[in-house]
């Protein structure tokens, strides 16, 4: 089944032969407010695959906005990457199309799209979130994840100062999260494929582990902050954590892995709830004219807590509850 048969509000193709630009813009929903979503540049095999990914990511943004309490919806741009792509021209062209949408869609960073690319988009539109303007986006993400881990620890009846957290990936988010946890008195184990990053983190109190040991490390919370799909059938069996709560998108390889984790009694803070700090910072900058404060971002903790409590009450995995809550809010608000 093609993505075109799914529900969405608007889709368009941005195509310009001289620049080698082919991109698909999808607005999934603007029922609660303008759509938010970044530009993903990836070597998609064709327009159909790019559109399918844009649709999927846009739908996820709709749910994420509803769960974060942002009066907005989801959109996404998928730009097909290839060696002859005139990157600057392509991003400018996307900016021109975003401008034409007249504020129905705000775009921003995603995989493959950095500051220089967004500067090209900004030449043609103001409907773009740029870290130079709204500030470092990894910080609010780390702050939201820290608050979410706090909510998880409360449910485990454990103080942060008595907790051990194992972080996979000490990049922009993971290293900030590690520093916050250490400040709060937690023991932090971590792994990264980049040995230099791991060595730097050791200086501020992180205990390094070989990468292949991090998923199965004995700890209270496993915090994936590197890749998606890290919780697959094998990982569910290897986990020795009581909870999984981290920044990575699409943590669960398949829905079945979430169910298996639930059956093993491992709490899971759904990624779409816990990693919304950057979305809050960017969206509220556009909607309210000021970036979200640290206090506002810390409300992610309460949102994670609500989902975990309802999951327990209804005996349904938290990621299933999260989708249910988002859909309820979207239909109530529409
Ligand atoms: P980053 O690229 O700065 O850091 C990722 C880190 O993971 C790097 O240090 C890298 O060496 C390490 N890594 C890569 N593969 C690994 C592996 N197989 N095992 C162990 N470590 C590995 O990315 P960033 O910005 O810190 O994001 C982390 C995750 O959080 C990503 O999944 C991202 O999609 C997600 N996320 C980030 C947001 C942000 O504001 N930066 C917002 C929402 C989600």
């Amino acid at each position: 089944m093609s993505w075109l048969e799914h529900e969405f509000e608007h889709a368009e193709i941005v195509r310009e032969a001289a620049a080698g630009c082919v991109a698909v813009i999808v607005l999934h929903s603007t029922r609660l407010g303008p759509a938010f979503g970044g530009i993903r540049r990836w070597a998609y095999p064709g327009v159909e695959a790019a559109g399918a990914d844009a649709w999927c990511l846009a739908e996820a943004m709709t749910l994420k906005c509803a769960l974060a309490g942002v009066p907005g919806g989801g959109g996404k741009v998928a730009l097909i990457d290839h060696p002859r792509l005139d990157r600057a021209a392509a991003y400018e062209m996307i900016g021109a199309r975003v401008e034409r949408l007249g504020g129905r869609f705000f775009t921003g960073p995603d995989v493959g799209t950095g500051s220089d690319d967004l500067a090209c988009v900004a030449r043609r539109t103001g409907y773009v979130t740029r870290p130079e303007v709204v500030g470092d986006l990894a910080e609010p993400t780390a702050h939201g994840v820290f608050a979410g881990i706090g909510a998880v620890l409360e449910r485990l009846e454990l103080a942060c100062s008595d907790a051990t957290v194992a972080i996979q990936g000490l990049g922009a988010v993971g290293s900030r999260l590690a520093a916050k946890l250490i400040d709060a008195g937690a023991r932090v184990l971590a792994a990264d494929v980049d040995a230099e990053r791991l060595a730097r983190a050791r200086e501020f109190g992180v205990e390094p582990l070989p990468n292949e040991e991090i998923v199965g490390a004995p700890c209270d919370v496993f915090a994936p902050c590197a890749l998606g799909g890290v919780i697959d059938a094998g990982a569910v069996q290897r986990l020795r954590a009581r909870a999984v709560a981290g920044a990575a998108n699409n943590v669960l390889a398949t829905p079945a892995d979430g169910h298996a984790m639930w059956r093993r009694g491992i709490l899971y803070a759904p990624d779409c709830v816990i990693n919304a700090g950057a979305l809050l910072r960017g969206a509220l900058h556009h909607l309210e004219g000021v970036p979200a404060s640290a206090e506002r971002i810390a409300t992610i903790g309460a949102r994670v807590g609500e989902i975990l409590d309802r999951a327990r009450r209804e005996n349904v995995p938290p990621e299933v509850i999260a989708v249910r809550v988002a859909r309820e809010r979207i239909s109530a608000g529409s």
Side-chain angles (χ1 to χ4, degrees):
M1 172 170 163
S2 165
W3 65 276
L4 288 160
E5 290 169 57
H6 294 305
E7 229 178 88
F8 62 90
E9 276 181 21
H10 174 92
E12 62 184 279
I13 295 177
V14 186
R15 177 174 240 149
E16 213 278 313
C21 170
V22 181
V24 185
I25 301 178
V26 176
L27 305 194
H28 175 261
S29 168
T30 58
R31 273 190 221 173
L32 300 183
F36 292 93
I39 304 169
R40 182 160 295 191
R41 182 175 54 87
W42 192 255
Y44 295 104
V47 183
E48 173 64 27
D53 201 33
W55 180 84
C56 206
L57 295 163
E59 188 206 27
M61 286 300 289
T62 299
L63 301 179
K64 201 165 172 170
C65 279
L67 287 164
V70 168
K76 209 79 183 185
V77 186
L79 167 62
I80 302 182
D81 195 22
H82 58 89
R84 286 166 291 98
L85 178 70
D86 180 340
R87 208 158 140 178
Y91 278 96
E92 264 202 48
M93 237 163 261
I94 291 168
R97 291 293 192 93
V98 170
E99 178 64 21
R100 252 175 35 191
L101 287 164
R104 275 177 77 201
F105 176 45
F106 290 84
T107 196
D110 198 283
V111 174
T113 298
S115 284
D116 292 350
D117 304 312
L118 294 172
C120 297
V121 176
R123 279 190 212 134
R124 305 295 288 271
T125 186
Y127 302 123
V128 57
T129 302
R130 297 173 64 201
E132 290 80 356
V133 180
V134 300
D136 168 23
L137 292 169
E139 170 53 32
T141 303
H143 199 59
V145 174
F146 176 68
I149 289 178
V152 166
L153 292 175
E154 257 176 52
R155 269 81 197 158
L156 298 178
E157 297 183 355
L158 199 61
C160 198
S161 52
D162 294 327
T164 300
V165 180
I167 303 180
Q168 182 184 47
L170 288 167
V173 177
S175 59
R176 285 167 176 80
L177 174 64
K180 285 173 193 289
L181 288 164
I182 286 171
D183 272 356
R187 178 176 175 223
V188 175
L189 317 172
D192 197 297
V193 286
D194 184 330
E196 216 172 280
R197 282 188 175 165
L198 201 54
R200 270 204 302 273
R202 194 178 210 155
E203 286 167 21
F204 64 87
V206 166
E207 296 172 42
L209 276 187
N211 197 32
E212 58 282 6
E213 288 178 21
I214 195 74
V215 174
C219 61
D220 300 299
V221 179
F222 169 61
C225 295
L227 309 167
V230 65
I231 301 295
D232 57 14
V236 174
Q237 296 314 316
R238 283 204 312 282
L239 277 172
R240 285 159 78 194
R242 298 168 68 195
V244 173
N249 279 309
N250 307 318
V251 165
L252 302 174
T254 69
D257 302 317
H259 284 269
M261 212 159 40
W262 180 249
R263 281 196 300 273
R264 274 204 61 199
I266 300 169
L267 285 185
Y268 171 56
D271 45 14
C272 54
V273 185
I274 197 169
N275 75 11
L279 168 68
L280 272 171
R281 169 71 47 94
L284 297 183
H285 170 85
H286 292 296
L287 295 171
E288 298 177 1
V290 282
S293 63
E295 291 73 29
R296 184 90 174 253
I297 284 159
T299 60
I300 287 174
R303 292 180 189 277
V304 168
E306 277 165 34
I307 301 282
L308 294 179
D309 293 343
R310 186 164 159 189
R312 195 168 276 173
R313 279 199 309 277
E314 297 183 21
N315 196 20
V316 171
E319 66 280 8
V320 176
I321 294 290
V323 174
R324 220 174 258 179
V325 168
R327 298 222 159 107
E328 284 165 7
R329 289 197 186 139
I330 294 162
S331 31
S334 59

